mmCIF file of all heavy atoms in Angstrom:
data_model
loop_
_atom_site.group_PDB
_atom_site.id
_atom_site.type_symbol
_atom_site.label_atom_id
_atom_site.label_comp_id
_atom_site.label_asym_id
_atom_site.label_seq_id
_atom_site.Cartn_x
_atom_site.Cartn_y
_atom_site.Cartn_z
ATOM 1 N N PRO A 240 -22.056 23.553 9.293
ATOM 2 C CA PRO A 240 -21.372 24.798 8.924
ATOM 3 C C PRO A 240 -20.806 24.686 7.509
ATOM 4 O O PRO A 240 -20.410 23.612 7.066
ATOM 5 C CB PRO A 240 -20.259 24.926 9.964
ATOM 6 C CG PRO A 240 -20.061 23.542 10.486
ATOM 7 C CD PRO A 240 -21.384 22.856 10.371
ATOM 8 N N SER A 241 -20.808 25.789 6.826
ATOM 9 C CA SER A 241 -20.300 25.766 5.455
ATOM 10 C C SER A 241 -18.785 25.575 5.468
ATOM 11 O O SER A 241 -18.087 26.029 6.364
ATOM 12 C CB SER A 241 -20.646 27.061 4.736
ATOM 13 O OG SER A 241 -19.948 28.134 5.317
ATOM 14 N N THR A 242 -18.294 24.874 4.479
ATOM 15 C CA THR A 242 -16.862 24.642 4.356
ATOM 16 C C THR A 242 -16.406 25.271 3.054
ATOM 17 O O THR A 242 -16.648 24.738 1.982
ATOM 18 C CB THR A 242 -16.543 23.139 4.371
ATOM 19 O OG1 THR A 242 -17.298 22.515 3.348
ATOM 20 C CG2 THR A 242 -16.896 22.511 5.705
ATOM 21 N N ARG A 243 -15.796 26.420 3.171
ATOM 22 C CA ARG A 243 -15.281 27.101 1.996
ATOM 23 C C ARG A 243 -13.868 26.610 1.738
ATOM 24 O O ARG A 243 -13.074 26.446 2.652
ATOM 25 C CB ARG A 243 -15.249 28.606 2.220
ATOM 26 C CG ARG A 243 -16.618 29.212 2.325
ATOM 27 C CD ARG A 243 -16.579 30.703 2.405
ATOM 28 N NE ARG A 243 -15.296 31.237 2.813
ATOM 29 C CZ ARG A 243 -15.126 32.407 3.387
ATOM 30 N NH1 ARG A 243 -16.163 33.157 3.643
ATOM 31 N NH2 ARG A 243 -13.930 32.842 3.710
ATOM 32 N N VAL A 244 -13.593 26.389 0.496
ATOM 33 C CA VAL A 244 -12.250 25.980 0.111
ATOM 34 C C VAL A 244 -11.456 27.250 -0.133
ATOM 35 O O VAL A 244 -11.799 28.060 -0.988
ATOM 36 C CB VAL A 244 -12.286 25.097 -1.162
ATOM 37 C CG1 VAL A 244 -10.887 24.761 -1.602
ATOM 38 C CG2 VAL A 244 -13.099 23.855 -0.913
ATOM 39 N N ARG A 245 -10.420 27.431 0.625
ATOM 40 C CA ARG A 245 -9.583 28.610 0.481
ATOM 41 C C ARG A 245 -8.321 28.239 -0.275
ATOM 42 O O ARG A 245 -7.758 27.165 -0.082
ATOM 43 C CB ARG A 245 -9.232 29.174 1.848
ATOM 44 C CG ARG A 245 -10.464 29.667 2.581
ATOM 45 C CD ARG A 245 -10.083 30.331 3.867
ATOM 46 N NE ARG A 245 -11.287 30.798 4.521
ATOM 47 C CZ ARG A 245 -11.443 30.892 5.811
ATOM 48 N NH1 ARG A 245 -10.454 30.558 6.612
ATOM 49 N NH2 ARG A 245 -12.553 31.322 6.333
ATOM 50 N N VAL A 246 -7.882 29.143 -1.113
ATOM 51 C CA VAL A 246 -6.714 28.896 -1.942
ATOM 52 C C VAL A 246 -5.487 28.648 -1.064
ATOM 53 O O VAL A 246 -4.672 27.766 -1.348
ATOM 54 C CB VAL A 246 -6.479 30.087 -2.899
ATOM 55 C CG1 VAL A 246 -5.198 29.915 -3.691
ATOM 56 C CG2 VAL A 246 -7.659 30.251 -3.832
ATOM 57 N N GLY A 247 -5.361 29.377 0.018
ATOM 58 C CA GLY A 247 -4.224 29.196 0.924
ATOM 59 C C GLY A 247 -4.181 27.798 1.513
ATOM 60 O O GLY A 247 -3.110 27.198 1.629
ATOM 61 N N HIS A 248 -5.344 27.274 1.901
ATOM 62 C CA HIS A 248 -5.392 25.917 2.458
ATOM 63 C C HIS A 248 -5.001 24.887 1.422
ATOM 64 O O HIS A 248 -4.281 23.936 1.716
ATOM 65 C CB HIS A 248 -6.796 25.605 3.000
ATOM 66 C CG HIS A 248 -7.123 26.348 4.249
ATOM 67 N ND1 HIS A 248 -8.391 26.759 4.531
ATOM 68 C CD2 HIS A 248 -6.364 26.762 5.281
ATOM 69 C CE1 HIS A 248 -8.405 27.390 5.691
ATOM 70 N NE2 HIS A 248 -7.174 27.405 6.165
ATOM 71 N N VAL A 249 -5.495 25.071 0.201
ATOM 72 C CA VAL A 249 -5.175 24.130 -0.866
ATOM 73 C C VAL A 249 -3.675 24.145 -1.148
ATOM 74 O O VAL A 249 -3.046 23.096 -1.293
ATOM 75 C CB VAL A 249 -5.989 24.453 -2.139
ATOM 76 C CG1 VAL A 249 -5.518 23.622 -3.316
ATOM 77 C CG2 VAL A 249 -7.466 24.228 -1.885
ATOM 78 N N LEU A 250 -3.082 25.336 -1.214
ATOM 79 C CA LEU A 250 -1.643 25.438 -1.461
ATOM 80 C C LEU A 250 -0.829 24.844 -0.315
ATOM 81 O O LEU A 250 0.168 24.153 -0.540
ATOM 82 C CB LEU A 250 -1.240 26.892 -1.692
ATOM 83 C CG LEU A 250 -1.752 27.518 -2.988
ATOM 84 C CD1 LEU A 250 -1.388 28.999 -3.048
ATOM 85 C CD2 LEU A 250 -1.195 26.791 -4.185
ATOM 86 N N LEU A 251 -1.253 25.084 0.922
ATOM 87 C CA LEU A 251 -0.551 24.526 2.080
ATOM 88 C C LEU A 251 -0.614 23.002 2.082
ATOM 89 O O LEU A 251 0.404 22.325 2.252
ATOM 90 C CB LEU A 251 -1.136 25.079 3.380
ATOM 91 C CG LEU A 251 -0.542 24.536 4.675
ATOM 92 C CD1 LEU A 251 0.914 24.963 4.799
ATOM 93 C CD2 LEU A 251 -1.339 25.008 5.863
ATOM 94 N N LEU A 252 -1.795 22.457 1.875
ATOM 95 C CA LEU A 252 -1.939 21.006 1.862
ATOM 96 C C LEU A 252 -1.185 20.387 0.688
ATOM 97 O O LEU A 252 -0.572 19.327 0.813
ATOM 98 C CB LEU A 252 -3.417 20.611 1.816
ATOM 99 C CG LEU A 252 -4.204 20.892 3.095
ATOM 100 C CD1 LEU A 252 -5.683 20.615 2.871
ATOM 101 C CD2 LEU A 252 -3.666 20.081 4.243
ATOM 102 N N GLY A 253 -1.229 21.038 -0.462
ATOM 103 C CA GLY A 253 -0.489 20.540 -1.621
ATOM 104 C C GLY A 253 1.013 20.540 -1.376
ATOM 105 O O GLY A 253 1.712 19.590 -1.749
ATOM 106 N N THR A 254 1.506 21.581 -0.738
ATOM 107 C CA THR A 254 2.931 21.660 -0.413
ATOM 108 C C THR A 254 3.323 20.580 0.582
ATOM 109 O O THR A 254 4.357 19.928 0.423
ATOM 110 C CB THR A 254 3.261 23.050 0.168
ATOM 111 O OG1 THR A 254 2.899 24.045 -0.783
ATOM 112 C CG2 THR A 254 4.731 23.176 0.504
ATOM 113 N N MET A 255 2.489 20.382 1.590
ATOM 114 C CA MET A 255 2.807 19.351 2.585
ATOM 115 C C MET A 255 2.785 17.957 1.975
ATOM 116 O O MET A 255 3.596 17.106 2.329
ATOM 117 C CB MET A 255 1.828 19.438 3.763
ATOM 118 C CG MET A 255 2.089 20.638 4.617
ATOM 119 S SD MET A 255 1.044 20.860 6.075
ATOM 120 C CE MET A 255 -0.286 19.777 5.902
ATOM 121 N N MET A 256 1.879 17.728 1.040
ATOM 122 C CA MET A 256 1.824 16.424 0.387
ATOM 123 C C MET A 256 3.002 16.216 -0.554
ATOM 124 O O MET A 256 3.406 15.087 -0.813
ATOM 125 C CB MET A 256 0.514 16.276 -0.398
ATOM 126 C CG MET A 256 -0.711 16.161 0.471
ATOM 127 S SD MET A 256 -0.642 14.793 1.630
ATOM 128 C CE MET A 256 -0.541 13.421 0.520
ATOM 129 N N ALA A 257 3.572 17.298 -1.066
ATOM 130 C CA ALA A 257 4.694 17.188 -2.003
ATOM 131 C C ALA A 257 6.027 16.981 -1.292
ATOM 132 O O ALA A 257 6.994 16.557 -1.930
ATOM 133 C CB ALA A 257 4.765 18.438 -2.868
ATOM 134 N N ILE A 258 6.107 17.255 -0.014
ATOM 135 C CA ILE A 258 7.374 17.152 0.716
ATOM 136 C C ILE A 258 7.924 15.730 0.676
ATOM 137 O O ILE A 258 9.115 15.535 0.429
ATOM 138 C CB ILE A 258 7.213 17.647 2.169
ATOM 139 C CG1 ILE A 258 7.092 19.160 2.167
ATOM 140 C CG2 ILE A 258 8.388 17.219 3.035
ATOM 141 C CD1 ILE A 258 6.784 19.752 3.521
ATOM 142 N N GLY A 259 7.098 14.745 0.908
ATOM 143 C CA GLY A 259 7.559 13.359 0.915
ATOM 144 C C GLY A 259 8.171 12.918 -0.406
ATOM 145 O O GLY A 259 9.324 12.473 -0.451
ATOM 146 N N PRO A 260 7.417 13.025 -1.504
ATOM 147 C CA PRO A 260 8.003 12.628 -2.792
ATOM 148 C C PRO A 260 9.210 13.472 -3.195
ATOM 149 O O PRO A 260 10.185 12.946 -3.738
ATOM 150 C CB PRO A 260 6.853 12.830 -3.780
ATOM 151 C CG PRO A 260 5.623 12.710 -2.961
ATOM 152 C CD PRO A 260 5.988 13.261 -1.616
ATOM 153 N N LEU A 261 9.167 14.764 -2.923
ATOM 154 C CA LEU A 261 10.315 15.611 -3.264
ATOM 155 C C LEU A 261 11.543 15.249 -2.435
ATOM 156 O O LEU A 261 12.666 15.364 -2.902
ATOM 157 C CB LEU A 261 9.971 17.087 -3.058
ATOM 158 C CG LEU A 261 9.107 17.727 -4.128
ATOM 159 C CD1 LEU A 261 8.726 19.150 -3.733
ATOM 160 C CD2 LEU A 261 9.812 17.724 -5.459
ATOM 161 N N SER A 262 11.301 14.814 -1.216
ATOM 162 C CA SER A 262 12.407 14.440 -0.339
ATOM 163 C C SER A 262 13.210 13.287 -0.914
ATOM 164 O O SER A 262 14.428 13.220 -0.728
ATOM 165 C CB SER A 262 11.860 14.062 1.038
ATOM 166 O OG SER A 262 12.884 13.628 1.889
ATOM 167 N N SER A 263 12.566 12.394 -1.596
ATOM 168 C CA SER A 263 13.301 11.281 -2.198
ATOM 169 C C SER A 263 13.698 11.567 -3.644
ATOM 170 O O SER A 263 14.807 11.243 -4.064
ATOM 171 C CB SER A 263 12.494 9.989 -2.111
ATOM 172 O OG SER A 263 11.280 10.128 -2.797
ATOM 173 N N ASP A 264 12.823 12.208 -4.404
ATOM 174 C CA ASP A 264 13.112 12.445 -5.820
ATOM 175 C C ASP A 264 14.256 13.430 -6.033
ATOM 176 O O ASP A 264 15.049 13.277 -6.955
ATOM 177 C CB ASP A 264 11.867 12.942 -6.548
ATOM 178 C CG ASP A 264 10.797 11.876 -6.657
ATOM 179 O OD1 ASP A 264 11.117 10.693 -6.413
ATOM 180 O OD2 ASP A 264 9.644 12.220 -6.981
ATOM 181 N N MET A 265 14.351 14.437 -5.189
ATOM 182 C CA MET A 265 15.454 15.396 -5.322
ATOM 183 C C MET A 265 16.743 14.838 -4.732
ATOM 184 O O MET A 265 17.833 15.309 -5.043
ATOM 185 C CB MET A 265 15.081 16.719 -4.643
ATOM 186 C CG MET A 265 13.997 17.466 -5.388
ATOM 187 S SD MET A 265 13.419 18.963 -4.566
ATOM 188 C CE MET A 265 14.908 19.868 -4.312
ATOM 189 N N TYR A 266 16.619 13.857 -3.898
ATOM 190 C CA TYR A 266 17.767 13.267 -3.219
ATOM 191 C C TYR A 266 18.489 12.252 -4.103
ATOM 192 O O TYR A 266 19.705 12.094 -4.015
ATOM 193 C CB TYR A 266 17.247 12.596 -1.931
ATOM 194 C CG TYR A 266 18.287 11.968 -1.058
ATOM 195 C CD1 TYR A 266 19.120 12.739 -0.276
ATOM 196 C CD2 TYR A 266 18.416 10.585 -0.995
ATOM 197 C CE1 TYR A 266 20.063 12.159 0.541
ATOM 198 C CE2 TYR A 266 19.357 9.996 -0.181
ATOM 199 C CZ TYR A 266 20.178 10.787 0.581
ATOM 200 O OH TYR A 266 21.110 10.214 1.389
#
Side-chain angles (χ1 to χ4, degrees):
S241 67
T242 55
R243 292 186 340 205
V244 176
R245 296 185 179 149
V246 175
H248 289 147
V249 171
L250 291 175
L251 177 66
L252 290 173
T254 302
M255 288 182 347
M256 290 303 298
I258 287 174
L261 283 174
S262 177
S263 60
D264 292 346
M265 290 175 54
Y266 182 75

